[in-house]
Amino acid sequence: MNPFNYKRRPTVSVNVGGIAMGSEWPVRVQSMTNTATDDVEASAAQCQRIAFAGADYVRLTAQGVKQANSIGDISKVLRGQGCTIPLIADIHFNPQAALAAAAVCEGVRINPGNFVDPARTFKQLEYTDEEYTAELGRIREALLPFIAICREHHTAVRLGVNHGSLSDRIMSRYGNTAAGMVESVMEFLRVFVEEKFLDVVISMKASNVVVMVEAVRRLVDAMDREDMHFPLHLGVTEAGFGEDGRVKSAVGIGALMAEGLGDTIRVSLSEEPELEIPVARKLVDYISQREGHPTIEGDYCEGYDPLCPDRRSTITVDGLIGGNQQPVVIASYRPDQLDGAALQPDFYYSADGLIDGTHRFMVPFAAWKGERNVYPLLTLGEWDRCSTTRLRFLQVPASTPVHRLEFLRGRSDTVLVITPVGKNIPAEQQAMIHALDTAGINCPVIVRNTYADNSNEWLQVKAGADLGAVLLNRRADGVWLEAPNTYSSAEVVRYAFAILQAARQRISKTEFISCPGCGRTMFDLQTTVQRVQQATAHLTHLKIGVMGCIVNGPGEMADADYGYVGAAAGRISLYKGKQCVEMNIPEADAIDRLVALIKQHGDWRDP
Ligand code: SF4
């Protein structure tokens, strides 16, 4: 893991139906069908669309042996049509389905949280060492026939752990933590290694980006310690749809890819699966450009934990930025584009010195007259000509030698704005911030990134990946996002807040955790998510899960405050936290009942 210089983490190669993955190969992209796997014709057609969109692999859910065999039929249809995309079966709770799938698919995903263990009961919370060891023996027993079939058919395996679907055994020792996710997969990996079956890929997913990133980093650390070099599949589960889904995936996947991690990725969106592929491709293309970048001199500052960093310790300037203040948002002021903006930045930057008297402003030093709530943006040459003792912004490129900033040590009036100079934007910004800390300069830092793109999706991907990496490592006290060519100020501000929210640094809207849907989904996911959003989007203090099925939904929505979960066709179950409080209610009543439930628990606020 190296955040300063992009280099893929070395892994073994894993062959999935002739499309190999690992550090020797390009980062592969994939998606998952949301048709009923029993519906061979519809599923084959959707696989074709996903393949046509440019995916390297496609995954299909197999609830049981019947659906596993259907994947074999889908494969025959596709091969007959000349489509060779490898098919991967997705298995939960059903080892028999895994055995059947291993004989007909190019890959099988199993979930260590439920391959052997039943759904969590939360009944057995204490395990003696003997009980724990006996359970590990059961895992081995269940895995051996599966490994044998995979070996016979050259079928690759993904061990896919999800935050929120850990077994009682893991929960008893580790809780619902990143460390628990790691141990959950390591138990399985040790069996695969002992059996010398190495066509294994690992994923550690969570809807909470911070948990997902920590889990993957801890996994790499744990594998390194046991001399294991399996490729990684990256993804943020239940990322949602639209710009939020894209931003959330870009933040989580982008931050890890920036460290050289990830050999295949899936951007999970609650949309048609083929729409995931261009987003994933953009992410891969953008980060891969860093290959061969000139070396960036960077070292962690003392005390920095790269697996789970603490917030950088900075001085609070003027009670507004740094210290314990939540990270700020800065945006360019374009007064004709502010109409209807639901979110306002903390500071507008006005290049021509135009201000409106209602917002806080930053202006170039030449335009600064010392007005209330207006702060100067300085260059290094201007800094000591400025007389303010309250708050001033000093902008420097990331290539500035830190010894030139030593005069800032101990000062409580200056916020640094770091602009990038090369292509590896988060690397050079983080290298400079670590160097500041090593030199004992603890003024707050804003990272200022400007993108010249003309597509929303590109901006979401690039800004999410770049700003997200710095924010997830908790190195910045604010972000300044600019995209002057195409976007309105209101859109850019919205993206900046979405990135902060994805990195869990600043919550500005209701967090919707919606699954991407698959063959198990019990309702029309896209319209349902929209209806739930319409009813609850003003409850910015809540996390609300919208999950397609009762099998995985409750586990996978992990830390949602309330959950709307497909229980059966036309039936919904509602959750308060992890507790199912209304079971099998008619879908037509479910939104009203969700609102009533939120009110009953005192969490409702009028719009
Ligand atoms: S929660 Fe959604 S994506 Fe996950 S298994 Fe259920 S329906 Fe499929």
Side-chain angles (χ1 to χ4, degrees), residues 313-329:
S313 170
T314 58
I315 292 173
T316 310
V317 177
D318 207 21
L320 295 172
I321 306 180
N324 292 326
Q325 300 297 314
Q326 55 186 358
V328 297
V329 170

Side-chain angles (χ1 to χ4, degrees), residues 32 61 90 92 238 515-522 547-553 556:
M32 184 171 183
T61 196
D90 193 74
H92 295 270
E238 290 78 44
C515 79
C518 69
R520 296 179 191 262
T521 311
M522 291 295 171
M547 310 299 289
C549 78
I550 200 92
V551 181
N552 292 325
E556 292 184 8

